[in-house]
Structure formats: C-alpha cells, structure tokens
Amino acid sequence: MNAAVRAVVRMGLYVGAKVYFIREGYQGMVDGGENITEATWESVSSMLQVGGTVIGSARCKDFRTHEGRLKAALNLVTLGITNLCVIGGDGSLTGANLFRAEWSGLLAELVEQGSIEAQSVQNYTALHIVGMVGSIDNDFCGTDMTIGTDSALHRIIEVVDAIMTTAQSHQRTFVLEVMGRHCGYLALVSALACGADWVLIPEMPPEDGWEEKMCQKLSATRSRGTRLNIIIVAEGAIDRHGKPITSSIVKDLVVKCLGFDTRVTILGHVQRGGTPSAFDRILASRMGVEAVLALLETTANTPAWVVSLSGNQSVRLPLMECVEMTQKVQKAMDEKKFEEAVKLRGRSFENNLRTYKLLAHRKPESELPTSNFNVAVLNVGAPAAGMNAAVRSAVRVGISEGHRMFAVNDGFEGFYKGQIKEIKWSDVGGWTGQGGSLLGTKRTLPAKHVGKIAEQMRTHNINALLVIGGFEALESLLQLYEARAAYEEFCIPMCMLPATISNNVPGTDLSIGADTALNAIVETCDRIKQSASGTKRRVFIIETMGGYCGYLATVAGLAAGADAAYIYEEPFDIRDLQANVEHLTEKMKTSIQRGLVLRNENSNENYTTDFIYQLYTEEGKGVFDCRKNVLGHMQQGGAPSPFDRNFGTKISAKAMQWVTKKLVETFRQGRVFANTEDSCCLLGMRRRALIFQPVVQLKGETDFVHRIPKEQWWLKLRPLMKILAKYKTSYDVSDSGQLEHVVHNRPKDSDASVAM
C-alpha cells in the first residue's frame, strides 16, 4: 500500500494538485482535525520497502452511519477536497461509492445546518473517487492481482520452504493453514508453487469420501520413497455440505487413518506483514499514477473507476460492476454452485485449478493413455530460477498424456554426447522450490553438432522436443529448424519456453526467472540504502545484469525508488549524466539523504560503472559521497519466487498439451513428420494471453547483434520512474489498448489546483 500512497502523492504534486493524507482510514475522515494533513514530496520518501501502510488503516463503524458521513463531508469541504483515492477491499470501495452518491445531499444538509456557505455547494458540486484494491486474498473481480497478494505468497512460500527441510528430516506430514476466508487463491497458488499433496479451498469443496482419497494419495506418495507430505488448507475451506474443514480436522484424520507423525502450522498474520515484493511495488506504483490520471479525467457523468491490472496493462473499470461481480462469486458459493464460482473468479483462477489437478494427482498406469511417443526436455543458456518447476510440470503432464519423457543433461552439449535418460513422475518431486537448473544447462548451440544430435534422436527415437532457456534457446530452435532440410530427425514438433533473468527474448513480455532476479536486486538495493541511514548524504551506483536488455535496471529502479537507471535502449550522453548529477545534488541539498542510481552492465561501453561513480563523486563533493556495487551472479541464484514457480509450471503444462496435439496431427504412416513453420514455436506471454509463435516469424522482431527484441513493452514504465524521482517529463497517459469501454473526458478548463 505504501508504494501506492507514494505514487499518488508524487503524481498528484507533479500535475499541480494539493495532496492530503487521511490517516486511519474512514475513521480519520470522520474525526478530521490532525488526521487530515497536507502531504509533501519528502513525506513519502523511504517508504517503498515498508510493509503495511504508514498512514494507518482502521475499520470504521461511524462511516456506516449517515451522521458519520455528514461529518466526513464537512471535513473534506472545509479543506476543499473533492477527489478521493481509496485503497482497500470491496467494503471500503463500496463505502466510497455510497459517499459519492450521497455527496450533493450531504452538502445541502450542511448548508441547512449552517455548517458551510451556500457558495461551497457551487464550488464543490461533485466528489470524484477512484479505487485501488489492496487485499492479500486476491478476491476482487476485474483485476488479475490485487496489491499485497504477491507479498503474501512470498511469506507463505518462505514458510513452506523452511518447513519442507524439517519435514524431510523427520518424515512428517505438515498441514498448513493459510488466509482466505472466502477465497482460495492463496491456498491454491501456494499449493501449485510448492507442489503440495492436497489442497482444500472454499470455491471447490472436495467430493464426498475425500477423506479416504486423500489418505490413499498420501500413503501412495510415501510408498514411492517421498519422506514428507504437505497439505494446504484455506481458512474458509468447506465440504460439499457447507461444513468447515479445519486444519485440526485434517491432522486428526491423517493420524487416525495412517498413523503419520503430523503437525499443524497456522500462518496467520505473518502473511500480511513483511517487506513488499518487487511485483507489488511496481503494481502499486503503476496503479497509483493511473489513479491520479483517472481522477483528473473524471466528470460528473463518468462512473467511479477502479484501477486494475490486466496482463501487464493498467486498466480502468467501472467500480460497481467489479464489486457486483465479486459479490456474485460469494452468492454462487452460498448456493453451492461451485463450478460457477470458479468461473466467476476469472480465467487465471480456473487455469491455476486445472494445472494443479493435472500435476498433483497421478493417474494409475491402467488409466493412462498410451501414445508411444518419446518427448525430450532440456535447458539451454544461463540458469534461471523457475526452470526446474517448468521441467517438473512438463514431465508430469507428459506422463499424464501417455508419453515417455526423456531428460537431457547439460543442454545441447549433453545431447550430442548422449547424456539422455528416461525421467519418471517421482524423479521430479520437490523440484519446484529449487533454484538454478537441476538438469544442468550450457550455452552451446546445436549448429556445429547437428549430425551427432540427429544420431542421438534416432537412437532414442525422440518424437518431440521441449527447450527451456533464454536467447540461446531461440537461436537453437532456429538452427534446428534450418537443419530440417538436411536431417529428417528434426521434422518433429519443437517448443521453446523463455527462461532467462534478462527478460530479453522476443515474443514474450515476461520470462521465467526475471521476477526472482528482480526481487534479489530490489532486496539488495533496500539493504544498501539502509546502510547509509544515519550517516551523511550518500549516493549508491549499482550495476545490474541483463546483457544489452535494460529490463532489470529499469523495473528494479522503479521498485527500489531509483533516481536514474542507465540502459542501452535509451541512449545517454555526458549532458544527460550532468543533468542527473545536478538534479540529485539539488535534491540532496534540500531533502533526501540517500540516492540510488542503477546502470545496466552493457548500457554504454565508455560510460562504465567506474566512470559514472567517479563523475558523481567529483561533482557531488561537499554535498554527498558515493559508493558503487556490482551485483553480479547473486541475481541468477536463490530459490524461485512464487511468480516464477507458477509461471514456469503453467506455461510448461500448456506447452506439453500443444506438443501432444501436434504429435497426433503429424503422425502419419507409423511416424511423426512435422516440417511446417507452426510446428517449431515459442510459447510466450503477450499481455494476458499465452501465445504460440513460430520462431521463424520472430526473426523480424529481433536484434540479433544485441540479443534483444526490437520493441519492448516495459520502456513505457521509464517516464513513470522519472516522475516519481521528481523529474519533469512527459507521461503518455495510456495507450488505447489499455482502457476498456471508457470515454476520455478531460475537463476543458483543467483546474490544476485540485485537491485530492
């Protein structure tokens, strides 16, 4: 929430508005006085890394009464506030909408009482509101993610990873209870991210007789040599008859039926606390800026907006439509229409549930289809967190589809040397939480060894190929596609999944591993900034990885509150550097204590990190001193973030289903033969959709010299970073694809002195 507060304040000041904090939620609005204070640029410094909300939040009974809202209206009118930005759940947003509807009536009442002048009613005819959803449950329809959900998942996954090591040692079963009274999102996604054996959520109560099924599943997993079981229960879990299923009921059941040593851990309010994740900070910063723009464009005739996320776009949706949809989900659950509830939750929730069912429940051998196809999986390029989750998902989905799965060690180097072996369901147990690449990965490209690779494919009768990796994986697939003319062995379905921390693969907005690297950078920046607290003024110059791609530097800059981020895609010269130094010197003299400057490793061959460090040191003499840090390979390591685990898992499951479809389509006269462009694809995420794109068609979108896509969506986040760092720059409001069924109404005589 703090990132959202910071963005609203700074964007508000940037457009020339007066901005106020209302402390302690609606209670502060009703009580007025010192609870409503003017905000300055400095009052939101150094708060990005703080959890919770610095302006306080409280449940408020008074605001539910007419008298309470009358007091609140008086407090706002007295200060001339007519624009309200509300960050909260559907209750808070519904309250704001009611307040907006009553506004003119409340003012008329205040005039009658003599509390305000009649002129005030003329001046403040309408109250404009915009909502942002802050809720760890991710239970609001209309947005893919709510502010706080990703951070809550980070807390849960940290605990699960820690518990797994102790459960492994003692051969224990753990029952974990996570938050979600009416929404099973956290439970479902954390179960998917840690590969839990069983999950219980309110939207999809288990069939009658689930107790026996669950115990059979746990017992089967143990008999295959696994030393632990994890069961995740949402606090609102129920059975088909609406009876609650608590963590203690599950524990007693396991002890009674199986006699396993079982422990319960209730995560409770741990999930709400802690440092916000990089994803949450960026989401909230983008939403905050969009919220201010929405307020400026609202007129008396437009509905109240809620700012939400669709894929990687910030969009505005009518607030009450979203609230009504959210209430429909609860209604469907109350009426025991569970399938409908899952559908109403949205595509992403349905997808998570489908993928979880696919991976967690192993069908008995007798029920599996027999396809007699052999599919090979390999990692190519540098390691990226989340690769193992993708391999696990591919292996298990492949086995469920009836294929024999083969793992290739050490990329194409291992391929031509024959390091290929069959991999079974239980071989990939516990892989989701492991960083790096367990199969081993190399940057070797196949071109020099096509003959030997073709020979290995003949030997093992490989009918399809799944390649998980970065830019090298794309080059590899292009080379194998070219080799089809000479070697029929490569006339098979081939699919690539983008996995690289640099996020520099064309055809996809995001790559597996980039989120984990981003969190590593942001966490380090937080620590580095903290190291200067209490000392004299200091500026840190930090170098990030990414090759020629400035994604990590830019997005980490936005999440860590950087003053500048130098990247290859946005050329800069000595005049820009000078302007940045002067701007920072000015800020240091007046307000802030610490500055942060990020530089992508290949942003400029002459303006090196050392050069920039020396320049800042010289120019800042007497005002600030300088330190530099090169983050290096710590950006590639670490346990994968919840986002990367799930992204890897879902994208890989979808790829294997595509492979199956292609194998069936191209199987003729006893063999697989696929030589069309669309049988050699990259599966990428574009906005909200996962799309298969022939690699040949991606050639035109690629700068092969610098190994980056020619067009990159995140470049439009750069003005945002500059505005939040107090630069005067133009900000392109929204691209046309961003707003859904919304008419732009910019007030003609835009009164810049609005108060929000």
Side-chain angles (χ1 to χ4, degrees):
M1 280 180 163
N2 287 326
V5 171
R6 170 179 176 268
V8 170
V9 169
R10 293 194 167 175
M11 188 65 184
L13 294 171
Y14 170 82
V15 298
K18 243 183 174 181
V19 187
Y20 290 87
F21 286 139
I22 298 179
R23 299 180 186 278
E24 312 309 333
Y26 287 130
Q27 195 62 55
M29 201 198 291
V30 174
D31 297 344
E34 286 179 4
N35 288 307
I36 306 179
T37 52
E38 196 171 336
T40 62
W41 189 273
E42 292 74 42
S43 57
V44 291
S45 286
S46 315
M47 63 191 259
L48 270 173
Q49 68 279 19
V50 181
T53 165
V54 295
I55 59 173
S57 174
R59 299 200 186 276
C60 174
K61 287 198 180 118
D62 296 347
F63 194 72
R64 293 182 178 180
T65 65
H66 185 72
E67 290 69 35
R69 292 194 290 278
L70 197 61
K71 281 186 198 166
L74 176 60
N75 290 327
L76 294 191
V77 169
T78 311
L79 292 166
I81 299 174
T82 55
N83 294 285
L84 207 50
C85 181
V86 183
I87 311 168
D90 57 347
S92 312
L93 300 181
T94 312
N97 195 57
L98 173 66
F99 190 41
R100 168 178 171 267
E102 290 181 353
W103 181 257
S104 48
L106 293 170
L107 292 200
E109 227 173 296
L110 290 169
V111 172
E112 253 174 63
Q113 290 177 6
S115 306
I116 58 171
E117 301 292 321
Q119 186 55 42
S120 300
V121 182
Q122 253 54 61
N123 297 349
Y124 310 119
T125 46
L127 175 72
H128 302 313
I129 65 163
V130 65
M132 285 185 268
V133 191
S135 153
I136 66 163
D137 290 338
N138 201 22
D139 55 356
F140 193 79
C141 293
T143 185
D144 291 352
M145 281 295 248
T146 56
I147 297 170
T149 306
D150 189 62
S151 301
L153 284 171
H154 272 260
R155 294 303 88 81
I156 295 170
I157 293 303
E158 282 158 18
V159 171
V160 173
D161 285 354
I163 276 177
M164 277 187 156
T165 51
T166 165
Q168 196 90 33
S169 317
H170 294 279
Q171 296 204 35
R172 281 192 176 138
T173 296
F174 268 88
V175 182
L176 277 137
E177 185 180 303
V178 300
M179 282 187 167
R181 201 166 311 139
H182 304 295
C183 178
Y185 184 87
L186 289 178
L188 178 58
V189 173
S190 44
L192 199 54
C194 71
D197 295 292
W198 201 267
V199 66
L200 293 157
I201 57 171
E203 288 88 346
M204 212 55 217
E207 301 289 343
D208 289 343
W210 64 272
E211 298 90 343
E212 199 179 319
K213 275 195 188 128
M214 181 181 79
C215 291
Q216 280 171 355
K217 163 96 201 293
L218 299 181
S219 155
T221 334
R222 283 289 175 96
S223 64
R224 285 196 293 273
T226 311
R227 293 176 60 89
L228 78 162
N229 301 108
I230 300 273
I231 302 164
I232 294 184
V233 185
E235 61 177 327
I238 48 172
D239 66 13
R240 288 269 151 184
H241 312 289
K243 220 170 86 220
I245 302 175
T246 63
S247 40
S248 49
I249 289 177
V250 177
K251 177 200 162 170
D252 296 343
L253 189 71
V254 175
V255 172
K256 195 177 104 200
C257 294
L258 301 169
F260 290 170
D261 184 0
T262 308
R263 298 281 190 276
V264 172
T265 300
I266 297 174
L267 267 66
H269 282 76
V270 167
Q271 296 161 79
R272 288 191 187 278
T275 307
S277 66
F279 182 92
D280 265 334
R281 297 184 200 190
I282 293 148
L283 173 69
S285 299
R286 292 179 69 186
M287 280 186 170
V289 168
E290 188 67 35
V292 172
L293 297 170
L295 281 174
L296 290 180
E297 293 168 21
T298 302
T299 66
N301 312 325
T302 49
W305 300 124
V306 62
V307 179
S308 62
L309 178 80
S310 175
N312 59 24
Q313 307 287 111
S314 279
V315 299
R316 300 173 203 173
L317 299 169
L319 171 66
M320 287 321 287
E321 279 184 28
C322 296
V323 170
E324 279 158 21
M325 274 296 282
T326 306
Q327 288 164 350
K328 273 185 190 166
V329 179
Q330 193 51 50
K331 189 166 173 274
M333 280 158 64
D334 293 342
E335 293 171 0
K336 298 194 171 59
K337 295 177 180 166
F338 299 113
E339 273 78 12
E340 192 182 319
V342 169
K343 264 200 177 60
L344 288 168
R345 277 266 181 252
R347 271 214 317 245
S348 136
F349 190 91
E350 266 190 288
N351 211 347
N352 285 328
L353 191 58
R354 201 177 307 121
T355 312
Y356 175 77
K357 285 178 176 170
L358 205 59
L359 296 172
H361 302 294
R362 184 183 183 177
K363 290 180 186 155
E365 299 285 331
S366 55
E367 284 179 36
L368 289 177
T370 44
S371 69
N372 298 325
F373 290 126
N374 294 350
V375 181
V377 185
L378 70 160
N379 293 153
V380 178
M387 277 181 161
N388 299 322
V391 172
R392 166 187 177 265
S393 176
V395 168
R396 292 198 166 177
V397 174
I399 291 170
S400 302
E401 308 259 311
H403 311 316
R404 282 178 71 198
M405 298 301 294
F406 287 83
V408 182
N409 293 112
D410 298 337
F412 283 105
E413 192 170 308
F415 211 135
Y416 82 82
K417 289 178 179 167
Q419 296 170 9
I420 305 167
K421 59 178 195 307
E422 191 172 348
I423 186 164
K424 299 280 196 215
W425 184 282
S426 50
D427 296 339
V428 290
W431 276 33
T432 41
Q434 307 273 342
S437 160
L438 291 169
L439 289 183
T441 179
K442 289 267 168 63
R443 291 181 185 271
T444 316
L445 294 176
K448 289 180 188 163
H449 313 284
V450 270
K452 285 181 178 168
I453 292 171
E455 196 180 311
Q456 290 295 341
M457 291 182 78
R458 260 200 315 280
T459 310
H460 293 92
N461 187 23
I462 301 296
N463 308 118
L465 207 53
L466 182 67
V467 182
I468 302 166
F471 203 86
E472 289 88 357
L474 177 71
E475 291 176 305
S476 302
L477 241 55
L478 283 165
Q479 291 177 359
L480 295 180
Y481 179 79
E482 298 299 322
R484 280 177 169 179
Y487 297 93
E488 275 197 3
E489 286 79 1
F490 300 120
C491 294
I492 57 170
M494 296 188 269
C495 186
M496 157 188 178
L497 303 179
T500 164
I501 67 164
S502 309
N503 196 26
N504 63 334
V505 179
T508 188
D509 292 345
L510 290 171
S511 307
I512 300 166
D515 184 67
T516 305
L518 212 51
N519 277 294
I521 296 169
V522 170
E523 205 174 301
T524 310
C525 288
D526 288 348
R527 289 184 183 187
I528 287 173
K529 277 171 88 171
Q530 198 176 30
S531 72
S533 62
T535 60
K536 52 184 186 290
R537 298 186 170 100
R538 183 165 285 173
V539 172
F540 294 97
I541 315 290
I542 294 174
E543 182 186 299
T544 67
M545 280 178 149
Y548 284 95
C549 177
Y551 175 80
L552 288 178
T554 298
V555 182
L558 185 57
D563 296 277
Y566 300 116
I567 61 169
Y568 166 77
E569 290 91 342
E570 197 175 275
F572 56 97
D573 57 22
I574 196 71
R575 287 178 293 280
D576 298 313
L577 290 170
Q578 188 184 346
N580 292 151
V581 174
E582 285 168 4
H583 182 259
L584 202 52
T585 310
E586 204 47 52
K587 267 177 31 179
M588 283 287 190
K589 279 179 187 164
T590 54
S591 56
I592 64 164
Q593 295 290 314
R594 292 160 289 180
L596 186 65
V597 174
L598 295 176
R599 177 187 172 273
N600 163 263
E601 56 185 351
N602 290 350
S603 53
N604 186 304
E605 58 181 330
N606 296 315
Y607 299 138
T608 59
T609 303
D610 280 330
F611 177 89
I612 292 174
Y613 162 67
Q614 284 160 352
L615 177 79
Y616 274 77
T617 304
E618 182 57 38
E619 296 297 318
K621 267 189 184 157
V623 183
F624 57 79
D625 65 355
C626 245
R627 294 286 185 274
K628 71 171 197 285
N629 282 273
V630 176
L631 298 184
H633 280 75
M634 56 149 288
Q635 297 163 80
Q636 275 185 1
S641 67
F643 181 88
D644 279 332
R645 297 179 190 201
N646 282 342
F647 184 49
T649 300
K650 289 204 288 200
I651 195 170
S652 188
K654 193 173 172 84
M656 281 309 300
Q657 288 168 328
W658 175 87
V659 164
T660 304
K661 190 171 132 252
K662 286 283 170 216
L663 283 169
V664 173
E665 282 172 13
T666 57
F667 185 71
R668 292 188 203 92
Q669 283 130 20
R671 68 179 192 136
V672 172
F673 185 80
N675 63 349
T676 52
E677 281 185 6
D678 68 354
S679 61
C680 182
C681 281
L682 175 146
L683 173 56
M685 181 177 167
R686 292 271 174 117
R687 292 208 171 163
R688 273 188 84 174
L690 291 174
I691 301 172
F692 290 93
Q693 300 142 98
V695 287
V696 183
Q697 290 174 20
L698 291 173
K699 260 183 169 172
E701 295 178 25
T702 312
D703 169 355
F704 282 97
V705 178
H706 299 102
R707 302 159 61 91
I708 51 174
K710 287 178 184 170
E711 279 186 20
Q712 306 189 80
W713 69 272
W714 51 265
L715 283 166
K716 68 170 189 275
L717 297 181
R718 286 186 66 81
L720 204 75
M721 184 184 77
K722 289 174 186 166
I723 287 170
L724 297 178
K726 215 172 185 173
Y727 282 92
K728 287 290 175 218
T729 176
S730 64
Y731 181 64
D732 175 24
V733 183
S734 311
D735 56 37
S736 54
Q738 228 169 315
L739 303 183
E740 300 183 14
H741 54 264
V742 173
V743 186
H744 264 272
N745 286 331
R746 203 173 254 295
K748 299 278 185 297
D749 48 346
S750 179
D751 176 10
S753 65
V754 291
M756 47 185 73

